[in-house]
Amino acid sequence: MNPNLEVQHLSKRIGDLVLLDDVSFSLHEGQRLGLIARNGTGKTTLLNILAGKEGYEEGSIVLRNGLTVGYLEQETHFPPHLSVREAVMAKVPADDDNAALRVEQILTKLGLRNLDQFVSNLSGGQQKRAALAAVLAQNPDILILDEPTNHLDIEMTEWLENYLGRLTGSLLLVTHDRYFLNRICTDILEIDGQRLYHYRGNYEYYLEKRQERLDATNANIERARNLYRTELEWMRRMPQARGHKARSRVEAFDDLERLAKTRQSEAAARLEMKATYIGSKIFEAAYVSKQFPDGPVILKDFYYNFSRYEKMGIVGPNGTGKSTFVKLLLGLVKPDSGRFVIGETVRFGYYSQEGMEFDEQMKVIDAVRRVAEVVDLGGGKRLTAMQFLTHFLFPPRRQQDYIYKLSGGERRRLYLCTVLMQQPNFLILDEPTNDLDIDTLQILEDYLAHFHGCVIVVSHDRYFTDKVVDHLLVFHGEGRVEDFPGNYTQFREAQKERAAEANKASAAASPTKRDWKSQSPQPEKKRRLSFKERQEYAALEEEIAALETEKAQIEADLCSGTLDAEAITAHARRLPELTARLDAASDRWLELAEFAE
């Protein structure tokens, strides 16, 4: 079967910077590709090229005839005079009779309920969600999404996972959300050193196979370096009389030299910075209340005593007050009543969505040197500003670039550097994962794991939260804040257990149905399955077992990396059908099981 989209030998340069070099891949129906690369190496550029928003120097892009493409860009563009409903409907084909209902349902799931307000009154995050709704409502054959989970809370992200998991078309997405990549993607594409590598499996499979590739590459480079040293010694004392043999070795030497001088692929070294001393008194939230005029209650008589070296995550739906809580703690917003008592030794480092301000005409290295020329790592170890930037994936050449040349993600990474360089002992990170690439997130996660201080993280990134925090404040809205001793996955499991127990208690407490004509209450006789229902019940048990076996096999095959494009397409089509049938069969089995005893 011909692919929906085929890219052949694509190359792209911006000035003297090579972003893509001879890149080729195809996108088949049912395939869901995740694109991974460091910020500034061409992810968004590639998506813009595929969507026809940007040109390229060499290669070809072939789209199958008659197919439609939907593209969620990083930046949203809506006419300000339109309502939310009008702005989204304007992006949807006019001949789609079900579009209006679909638009309203998707917007509601994404937390946009006042559809008659002007789109210009929406926040940046709300506009991004409206743009996502517009793209999904188009129901295109090929869906291209650039950071779709930015500005979504966790419930919205989980809804989007389920929505995309049911699609039968093609999907290409860029996201830093690693749980999302693992659960959605059938394939991973990685841009590394201007080249594209294809991994036929989900994110977990990619991690395994990428490490195998790096190990093999590094081993080859190390062998080449050993040979290079031997050859270099031979070249320097080469006897002129060896003639032909010498010429062949000289020619081979050039290729060997190129490989030997290749930079080995490796993760950035661990960065363990010295935090300033922090005492036992951190902060106390003493019965704090806060409500904005005509807005929801944020906190109501909230009390909390923060412990030394605590690493707390703050989660909850958008609009419940998570960022406001942080601003109250920092003194940027005043409480209506109560107070925050901060310890004398506390030295905050604050990373926020609004805090990134740089002189765009300044060089990267100069922006960092304004904070500190040298960073003290403790134990007699020090890093210069240039060395510190290198740890955060800014090579020396990139450090000499002007800030206006940086991508949005690179600017975020630079901002993070300036916060950490101040050596705080209490880090507050408000949505740090938005626009940061996975490599940077891994460095930040490792840094926080070894950080000798306190941490508060406001984040919708489940993977990041699970790795970093050991305790949660869950904002449910209207001033209700839950104190949970664990990470996000543990919280979700606890939620499921609570729901199951509540359902069981509700069922037990339900009054037994009575015959209203009875003079004296009689115990209800339990209904029994009919012969036909017993047959259906037995058949469902067999069908569910077969469906679960087939589903497990398909998921294993998709992660194996051994399937060809046609098999991947067939499996990707079958999987959502299988899941839907399994859900329906399970629901019916549960209905019958109540009367099967």
Side-chain angles (χ1 to χ4, degrees):
M1 180 184 295
N2 291 331
N4 285 355
L5 178 70
E6 188 163 18
V7 177
Q8 290 290 338
H9 308 296
L10 186 71
S11 295
K12 172 68 177 180
R13 300 174 185 83
I14 298 178
D16 60 351
L17 176 64
V18 178
L19 286 179
L20 304 170
D21 182 22
D22 196 27
V23 165
S24 297
F25 70 94
S26 56
L27 180 60
H28 290 259
E29 186 170 354
Q31 268 190 314
R32 299 193 287 268
L33 305 186
L35 180 61
I36 293 177
R38 289 181 179 177
N39 288 332
T41 57
K43 297 191 301 292
T44 296
T45 298
L46 177 58
L47 299 191
N48 282 336
I49 291 171
L50 298 179
K53 303 281 186 180
E54 197 166 334
Y56 51 97
E57 281 74 44
E58 299 170 11
S60 64
I61 300 173
V62 180
L63 179 68
R64 223 171 88 198
N65 287 337
L67 296 188
T68 56
V69 178
Y71 180 32
L72 175 69
E73 302 179 62
Q74 280 197 356
E75 302 296 328
T76 57
H77 307 283
F78 286 117
H81 62 282
L82 297 180
S83 70
V84 174
R85 180 183 284 104
E86 291 168 338
V88 174
M89 285 296 296
K91 305 279 187 178
V92 180
D95 58 352
D96 189 340
D97 296 334
N98 298 318
L101 178 60
R102 192 162 64 246
V103 163
E104 188 163 341
Q105 289 174 335
I106 294 173
L107 283 169
T108 300
K109 289 293 185 181
L110 295 178
L112 296 169
R113 293 177 175 81
N114 182 4
L115 307 188
D116 295 320
Q117 66 177 314
F118 287 118
V119 71
S120 57
N121 292 334
L122 299 181
S123 68
Q126 289 173 322
Q127 290 197 25
K128 182 70 181 277
R129 280 184 266 146
L132 174 59
V135 173
L136 296 179
Q138 291 169 24
N139 200 22
D141 301 299
I142 300 175
L143 192 56
I144 301 176
L145 305 177
D146 195 353
E147 296 290 3
T149 63
N150 280 4
H151 308 294
L152 301 187
D153 62 34
I154 294 175
E155 289 183 2
M156 294 174 192
T157 299
E158 291 175 344
W159 171 83
L160 183 61
E161 273 181 6
N162 293 328
Y163 184 93
L164 295 178
R166 295 192 298 269
L167 291 182
T168 57
S170 302
L171 172 66
L172 175 62
L173 67 93
V174 169
T175 181
H176 60 263
D177 189 321
R178 286 155 285 179
Y179 281 159
F180 197 86
L181 282 170
N182 204 49
R183 292 167 182 169
I184 290 297
C185 294
T186 60
D187 299 70
I188 300 292
L189 300 177
E190 179 192 26
I191 300 175
D192 186 12
Q194 297 92 43
R195 306 303 299 270
L196 193 73
Y197 298 90
H198 191 167
Y199 304 85
R200 299 186 183 279
N202 61 9
Y203 181 72
E204 183 178 355
Y205 176 85
Y206 153 77
L207 288 177
E208 178 186 343
K209 295 303 178 183
R210 181 181 189 268
Q211 190 57 52
E212 290 178 8
R213 175 177 73 81
L214 295 183
D215 289 344
T217 299
N218 291 342
N220 288 337
I221 292 171
E222 189 57 39
R223 281 195 295 271
R225 286 176 177 171
N226 291 333
L227 284 172
Y228 176 73
R229 284 190 287 268
T230 302
E231 286 291 273
L232 183 59
E233 182 181 348
W234 183 87
M235 290 286 287
R236 286 171 175 164
R237 57 184 175 79
M238 181 179 65
Q240 296 301 317
R242 292 188 179 178
H244 177 73
K245 183 178 180 181
R247 282 196 299 275
S248 64
R249 288 191 71 166
V250 170
E251 291 168 359
F253 176 76
D254 292 337
D255 294 333
L256 187 61
E257 182 180 26
R258 278 192 293 272
L259 180 58
K261 291 185 177 180
T262 302
R263 178 183 61 84
Q264 281 194 317
S265 298
E266 55 187 16
R270 175 175 294 172
L271 187 64
E272 295 187 57
M273 291 176 59
K274 177 185 176 183
T276 55
Y277 169 78
I278 189 167
S280 57
K281 176 69 175 179
I282 309 303
F283 80 78
E284 180 186 16
Y287 306 102
V288 176
S289 295
K290 181 64 183 178
Q291 180 178 13
F292 290 107
D294 302 320
V297 176
I298 304 300
L299 294 174
K300 186 175 182 181
D301 294 328
F302 175 76
Y303 181 88
Y304 191 84
N305 198 346
F306 199 87
S307 303
R308 195 181 192 189
Y309 305 130
E310 188 171 341
K311 293 179 180 176
M312 173 192 283
I314 298 182
V315 299
N318 287 335
T320 53
K322 302 183 300 296
S323 293
T324 301
F325 174 81
V326 166
K327 291 175 181 176
L328 285 164
L329 170 60
L330 293 169
L332 302 175
V333 172
K334 300 298 181 186
D336 299 334
S337 61
R339 60 178 183 151
F340 284 89
V341 182
I342 312 296
E344 292 182 1
T345 61
V346 171
R347 181 174 174 180
F348 288 116
Y350 179 38
Y351 176 100
S352 70
Q353 289 299 294
E354 302 85 21
M356 186 174 62
E357 295 180 2
F358 292 113
D359 179 352
E360 295 204 342
Q361 300 302 317
M362 183 177 289
K363 290 183 178 179
V364 172
I365 185 64
D366 293 334
V368 170
R369 282 175 174 157
R370 286 181 64 178
V371 178
E373 289 278 354
V374 176
V375 179
D376 185 2
L377 303 184
K381 297 179 181 179
R382 306 176 79 191
L383 285 181
T384 65
M386 182 174 288
Q387 290 169 327
F388 187 85
L389 277 171
T390 302
H391 274 281
F392 273 86
L393 309 178
F394 286 102
R397 183 178 177 184
R398 196 61 167 161
Q399 295 176 26
Q400 300 303 319
D401 276 337
Y402 290 98
I403 290 175
Y404 72 83
K405 292 185 177 182
L406 300 183
S407 69
E410 285 177 306
R411 294 186 190 206
R412 284 280 161 200
R413 195 193 311 151
L414 179 61
Y415 172 38
L416 180 61
C417 285
T418 61
V419 172
L420 299 185
M421 284 186 76
Q422 298 172 43
Q423 297 181 275
N425 54 27
F426 195 144
L427 271 172
I428 299 179
L429 307 175
D430 191 356
E431 291 296 352
T433 64
N434 282 0
D435 301 317
L436 290 182
D437 55 57
I438 290 175
D439 281 354
T440 305
L441 290 178
Q442 290 170 337
I443 294 170
L444 179 57
E445 287 161 359
D446 185 73
Y447 171 83
L448 294 176
H450 299 88
F451 178 64
H452 301 296
C454 299
V455 177
I456 288 180
V457 174
V458 180
S459 180
H460 298 137
D461 188 320
R462 299 156 295 175
Y463 191 103
F464 182 82
T465 302
D466 278 356
K467 287 194 73 173
V468 168
V469 311
D470 49 29
H471 182 252
L472 292 179
L473 285 184
V474 184
F475 280 64
H476 293 284
E478 294 301 325
R480 188 164 72 89
V481 181
E482 179 181 355
D483 184 356
F484 182 82
N487 63 26
Y488 179 74
T489 295
Q490 292 165 337
F491 168 70
R492 287 292 282 168
E493 290 302 318
Q495 271 191 319
K496 291 175 185 176
E497 289 176 9
R498 288 179 206 159
E501 289 172 3
N503 290 337
K504 189 184 296 184
S506 176
S510 297
T512 305
K513 293 181 180 178
R514 308 290 184 189
D515 182 352
W516 66 275
K517 294 182 180 179
S518 298
Q519 295 298 316
S520 59
Q522 297 293 326
E524 183 184 2
K525 187 177 180 180
K526 185 175 181 180
R527 186 175 84 79
R528 299 291 182 185
L529 295 181
S530 67
F531 175 74
K532 186 176 180 181
E533 286 174 327
R534 287 199 301 274
Q535 286 185 314
E536 182 187 4
Y537 181 68
L540 281 170
E541 286 186 328
E542 294 180 3
E543 182 186 6
I544 289 169
L547 290 170
E548 288 177 338
T549 300
E550 184 184 357
K551 184 180 179 185
Q553 185 60 53
I554 286 177
E555 289 173 341
D557 288 347
L558 286 171
C559 293
S560 69
T562 61
L563 300 182
D564 58 24
E566 284 198 25
I568 291 174
T569 299
H571 277 358
R573 281 180 174 176
R574 175 61 176 154
L575 192 57
E577 297 171 0
L578 197 60
T579 302
R581 178 55 196 152
L582 186 56
D583 290 344
S586 299
D587 289 345
R588 178 56 177 160
W589 183 89
L590 288 171
E591 290 177 15
L592 296 175
E594 184 178 353
F595 309 106
E597 298 301 328

